[in-house]
Amino acid sequence: MAADLYDAPGGERPGSTLAEYADAGADVLLLWYSLIGAAAKSLTAALDSFKRGAEVADLGDLLLGQKAFESLMGYRDYEQRATRYE
């Protein structure tokens, strides 16, 4: 890993590991950069692919399918609730 990946002493790893937080009693831990950093890396890779002329179908593992995304977001449940108000 790059030496400046994390804003922590040495920069090579976060200040604490998930196991260390769990040992300290944490039940839920939201490290904002972990998810945003992963999303930004995938987004950058997808945009670079588009710059090279790739189509959406060419993105492979960089793209979560629409149905899988909607399932994660609970979209089907939302649609079912919304039909009550039509």
Side-chain angles (χ1 to χ4, degrees):
M1 287 189 191
D4 62 347
L5 185 59
Y6 299 104
D7 186 17
E12 295 177 0
R13 66 181 278 265
S16 298
T17 66
L18 295 176
E20 290 167 338
Y21 284 117
D23 287 344
D27 293 326
V28 175
L29 185 66
L30 301 175
L31 299 173
W32 69 271
Y33 179 76
S34 298
L35 296 178
I36 298 297
K41 183 175 182 178
S42 293
L43 178 60
T44 300
L47 291 173
D48 287 344
S49 295
F50 290 140
K51 285 179 189 176
R52 291 190 302 273
E55 297 289 337
V56 171
D58 300 328
L59 294 183
D61 290 339
L62 290 177
L63 182 67
L64 181 62
Q66 181 177 345
K67 289 181 181 179
F69 176 77
E70 289 175 355
S71 177
L72 287 172
M73 300 302 293
Y75 189 69
R76 182 175 176 217
D77 295 336
Y78 163 78
E79 283 186 316
Q80 289 174 344
R81 286 191 310 272
T83 59
R84 292 185 288 188
Y85 304 104
E86 289 181 348

